Amino acid sequence: MTRQKVVAVTACPTGIAHTFMAANKIIAWAKAHNIEVKVETQGSDGVKNRLTKQDIASATTIILATDVPIQDAERFENIPHLQTRTQELIKHTDRYLRQALAMEKNVTPVAHEDDLPRSAYQIFIGHIMAAISYMLPVVVMGGLMMATAKITGQFINIEHSPFSVLDKVGFMTIKFMYPVFAMYLAFSIAGKPALIPGLIGGMMSDEVYKRFFDIEGFMPSGFFGAIGIGFFVGYLVRWLNDSIHVRQQLTTIKTMLIVPLITGITLVMVMEYLINPIFGSLNQLMVVFFTSAGDTGRGFYSAMIAAGTAFDLGGPVNKAAGSVALGLNGISETFDLTARELSIVIPSIGVGFAAFLNGRFGLPDVFSQEEKTVGSTSLLLGVIGISEGAIPFILKNPRLIPVFMTGAVAGALVAIALGVKQTLPLPAIWGWPLATNVAGYLASVFIGALICALGVLYVSPKNAR
């Protein structure tokens, strides 16, 4: 009897945690059942272990555990496969693997998850997360360039040097995060025809537009404006392509002239007279409210950003909180990235503390040996700025979500009380040296993480011996 073979592709928005967690789950399950397996990961380091045509042709079944559009997706067109999200596969590995093996890929097409209707919320979040996955490298690249310049500037005078240029280019790069976000949000909906219209709309939503035309009194519509124009452009382009019917000989005129012309004129009018006025006014009200409240306003704003960041550890709420914080960063003394950058690492470091404290000093013993190992790894991930190390614990026990939020908010408020301020989008060891009052920054991380650790130990069920 021919040995069964499973091939899969895994990809998540950040390309760090869920991508490889899902891959490891598939590999472990297949080996346990004596099934040949090969998993292609499309992570932050590119495509690894790429599936060849032979791999796909010889497979008993194909699984696509993806949260974002994947590269070379055409390889799987017209081939029966199981489509799911990484988080679902991580939680229900056995169910999805057995469902996939029952599909009989080489015999008849079988309906799979992608054929099932998705809710409006699932569609909305799917497009948002896909766009954010393309926006993140812009923020990271710009932040790293600015950080390199500023760290160098602490030791030598960088004025009129290449490092000064590096600082300016890094700042400019970060200002393109919303244009890139809107561009790929539209792309997620309507494909390549929506890329440039989305880019234009995104530029009009942020300071790129304000600075280029030197518009006085203009308040960018920011993240919410980019969301609005991204969806508008995406669905407008899709509707135009579906509704305008021309002879085959005139298809080029439709795609290169008619659709871009209508889209360009419409999006500019919508941005100028609808989206920017509405969301720009809301942003202005928010800035005035928090700024006028002084330290209280900064504390309330920081608490909201911290809670959102720690809510789902890299999920849509986390990404939305980060995008809002980045957009408002530097508008006034009230708005910086301290709460955001602290809350990225506090839950993961807290889980690491919990693994160390487990069963010691009279504290509860709730971790298995495997969980202690995962907790230690989470600590290391937190130190280098990766929040997803704590995800396995909230998947197992969702009651830890408010625990992590409480620890993150506490750490942010302690930082404010100690006069800590960070304006560069770099968490953990990459950004700590650039914060004001580094000792206070580290104390804030420690206090927030300790609250998370104690919460984990007292909220988790006791370890069964």
Side-chain angles (χ1 to χ4, degrees):
M1 182 178 178
T2 305
R3 188 183 180 192
Q4 291 181 309
K5 179 179 180 180
V6 172
V7 298
V9 179
T10 61
C12 69
T14 58
I16 296 173
H18 284 69
T19 298
F20 301 102
M21 289 166 65
N24 290 336
K25 283 280 189 178
I26 294 170
I27 292 170
W29 189 94
K31 288 184 176 179
H33 292 79
N34 194 31
I35 295 173
E36 188 178 351
V37 63
K38 182 176 181 180
V39 181
E40 173 183 310
T41 56
Q42 297 193 7
S44 58
D45 58 347
V47 178
K48 302 296 182 183
N49 207 28
R50 182 183 293 274
L51 298 178
T52 65
K53 290 183 179 180
Q54 179 59 34
D55 291 326
I56 296 170
S58 63
T60 307
T61 191
I62 298 170
I63 300 172
L64 302 182
T66 61
D67 304 315
V68 293
I70 60 173
Q71 297 181 35
D72 302 321
E74 63 273 11
R75 291 174 293 172
F76 308 103
E77 291 179 358
N78 303 317
I79 300 177
H81 60 272
L82 186 143
Q83 177 80 50
T84 187
R85 296 186 298 119
T86 53
Q87 189 171 342
E88 287 299 308
L89 187 134
I90 292 168
K91 289 193 291 186
H92 307 292
T93 308
D94 184 76
R95 187 179 85 192
Y96 284 111
L97 267 293
R98 292 186 184 279
Q99 181 181 338
L101 288 169
M103 283 187 168
E104 298 183 355
K105 173 179 77 75
N106 295 320
V107 181
T108 55
V110 179
H112 48 79
E113 275 196 2
D114 200 38
D115 296 324
L116 299 176
R118 294 193 298 163
S119 68
Y121 173 78
Q122 289 174 319
I123 294 171
F124 175 81
I125 291 298
H127 291 313
I128 292 288
M129 295 301 287
I132 286 176
S133 72
Y134 288 102
M135 182 188 79
L136 286 177
V138 177
V139 178
V140 172
M141 177 66 78
L144 288 173
M145 287 193 288
M146 291 178 67
T148 301
K150 292 185 183 304
I151 290 174
T152 305
Q154 294 180 355
F155 300 98
I156 62 172
N157 180 16
I158 65 171
E159 191 174 356
H160 306 303
S161 74
F163 288 103
S164 176
V165 177
L166 192 67
D167 187 27
K168 294 175 182 177
V169 173
F171 177 79
M172 180 185 70
T173 300
I174 288 179
K175 290 303 175 184
F176 276 90
M177 64 180 179
Y178 290 153
V180 170
F181 171 83
M183 175 172 68
Y184 280 102
L185 176 55
F187 170 76
S188 175
I189 297 167
K192 290 182 181 179
L195 272 172
I196 301 306
L199 175 66
I200 295 169
M203 287 191 294
M204 292 183 69
S205 75
D206 201 15
E207 288 196 11
V208 176
Y209 181 59
K210 176 183 178 179
R211 290 171 182 271
F212 188 87
F213 291 104
D214 195 24
I215 305 173
E216 291 295 331
F218 173 78
M219 172 58 72
S221 54
F223 181 57
F224 297 108
I227 291 177
I229 197 60
F231 275 106
F232 177 80
V233 165
Y235 282 107
L236 174 62
V237 169
R238 181 195 285 185
W239 179 77
L240 289 172
N241 279 326
D242 292 341
S243 302
I244 299 175
H245 303 286
V246 297
R247 289 182 295 174
Q248 186 175 359
Q249 298 91 324
L250 301 177
T251 300
T252 302
I253 295 177
K254 169 187 168 181
T255 57
M256 298 298 291
L257 177 61
I258 299 175
V259 172
L261 179 62
I262 296 174
T263 303
I265 294 173
T266 307
L267 82 87
V268 169
M269 296 299 106
V270 168
M271 281 300 297
E272 186 69 15
Y273 298 108
L274 182 64
I275 291 178
N276 272 343
I278 292 175
F279 291 108
S281 297
L282 290 175
N283 283 341
Q284 184 66 53
L285 286 172
M286 183 165 56
V287 169
V288 171
F289 172 76
F290 286 120
T291 302
S292 61
D295 289 340
T296 302
R298 187 187 176 205
F300 186 60
Y301 168 76
S302 297
M304 290 195 303
I305 295 297
T309 300
F311 177 76
D312 54 358
L313 302 177
V317 176
N318 172 293
K319 296 297 189 295
S323 298
V324 170
L326 284 165
L328 295 176
N329 181 35
I331 286 182
S332 74
E333 289 296 315
T334 302
F335 301 95
D336 54 52
L337 296 176
T338 308
R340 168 66 179 174
E341 305 310 324
L342 281 168
S343 304
I344 288 174
V345 302
I346 282 176
S348 288
I349 293 176
V351 168
F353 283 3
F356 173 75
L357 296 172
N358 181 69
R360 296 180 178 178
F361 312 111
L363 295 171
D365 180 6
V366 299
F367 282 5
S368 65
Q369 190 59 44
E370 180 183 358
E371 287 171 332
K372 288 180 183 179
T373 303
V374 174
S376 300
T377 303
S378 177
L379 174 62
L380 294 175
L381 290 175
V383 169
I384 63 174
I386 298 173
S387 63
E388 284 86 350
I391 286 176
F393 294 89
I394 62 172
L395 290 177
K396 181 180 179 181
N397 184 8
R399 292 185 300 168
L400 293 179
I401 292 175
V403 169
F404 292 156
M405 292 172 66
T406 301
V409 170
L413 295 179
V414 169
I416 291 173
L418 296 176
V420 176
K421 194 164 188 179
Q422 182 178 352
T423 57
L424 285 177
L426 293 171
I429 59 173
W430 319 114
W432 291 342
L434 300 174
T436 61
N437 189 2
V438 176
Y441 197 108
L442 295 176
S444 303
V445 172
F446 179 81
I447 292 171
L450 185 60
I451 291 173
C452 288
L454 295 175
V456 169
L457 294 176
Y458 281 103
V459 172
S460 300
K462 293 222 169 162
N463 183 29
R465 294 295 182 189

